[in-house]
Amino acid sequence: MGTLIGNPLIKAFFIIFLVSAATATATGDAPFIIAHKKASLNRLKSGAERVSVSVNIYNQGFTAAYDLSLIDNSWPQDAFDIVNGNTSHSWQKLDAGGHLSHSFELEAKRKGMFHGAPAVIYFRIPTKAVQQEAYSTPILPLDILEERPPENKFEWRLMAKYGSQISVISIVVLFIYLIITPSKASKKKR
């Protein structure tokens, strides 16, 4: 046991563990903001395409965050028109373990691939005068107004029309298969 404690490598790991534990308790009383940004495309019958964007903000820290403001300037005005909502929003407070959500809708003006940047969330911690900053996750590339092949959906009316006949045939085939294949018990008796 004395050799194990006397090992300098073990002592170094022990000191690093103590320092990291002390640092974690000192910084563990601050808000920890996580933001998730997602976008989905909706094709309208008129041929236009709308982009629905939502940003979910979570506080995984142990104290509240104050004066939150979300700014998402990654949508250029020459490529998108705002149809519903706004690309920025503000809140007074986000409690520890709390969740906020903001969404808006855009209409695409031109065709092409779009790569969006993360949204920026500014917030304030009561113990610090400096405004803090957090970034959301970036969105996947969007192929706006792309030519999509028609989707082959499952034909439910064919299932309704021929479903009973298919099930009867399946049961008959299964019954014949069970009769034709010898069982394991009959193989052992021979």
Side-chain angles (χ1 to χ4, degrees), residues 53-125:
V53 181
S54 66
V55 181
N56 295 315
I57 304 169
Y58 305 92
N59 183 358
Q60 297 297 315
F62 295 105
T63 59
Y66 295 94
D67 301 330
L68 289 99
S69 60
L70 164 72
I71 300 170
D72 189 3
N73 291 331
S74 63
W75 307 97
Q77 291 181 350
D78 62 330
F80 298 97
D81 281 331
I82 297 174
V83 176
N84 189 9
N86 200 347
T87 58
S88 62
H89 194 75
S90 296
W91 297 273
Q92 289 291 326
K93 180 180 177 183
L94 177 57
D95 289 322
H99 167 256
L100 296 171
S101 183
H102 178 67
S103 59
F104 54 93
E105 194 170 21
L106 307 164
E107 187 166 331
K109 291 182 183 178
R110 64 179 186 220
K111 182 179 182 177
M113 187 68 76
F114 177 75
H115 301 274
V120 182
I121 298 97
Y122 296 102
F123 62 97
R124 191 177 50 77
I125 300 173

Side-chain angles (χ1 to χ4, degrees), residues 24-33 59-65 96 123 125-128 132:
T25 57
T27 60
D29 60 347
F32 184 70
I33 303 297
N59 183 358
Q60 297 297 315
F62 295 105
T63 59
F123 62 97
I125 300 173
T127 58
K128 295 184 181 179
Q132 304 296 311

Side-chain angles (χ1 to χ4, degrees), residues 181-190:
T181 57
S183 66
K184 292 181 181 179
S186 65
K187 287 182 182 178
K188 291 180 182 178
K189 291 181 182 178
R190 291 183 190 174

Side-chain angles (χ1 to χ4, degrees), residues 24-62:
T25 57
T27 60
D29 60 347
F32 184 70
I33 303 297
I34 298 173
H36 177 66
K37 178 180 171 182
K38 57 185 169 181
S40 61
L41 295 173
N42 301 320
R43 179 75 56 104
L44 302 176
K45 293 188 186 231
S46 65
E49 193 156 38
R50 289 196 175 168
V51 181
S52 298
V53 181
S54 66
V55 181
N56 295 315
I57 304 169
Y58 305 92
N59 183 358
Q60 297 297 315
F62 295 105

Side-chain angles (χ1 to χ4, degrees), residues 173-186:
V173 168
L174 181 65
F175 181 73
I176 292 172
Y177 174 77
L178 290 174
I179 290 177
I180 291 176
T181 57
S183 66
K184 292 181 181 179
S186 65

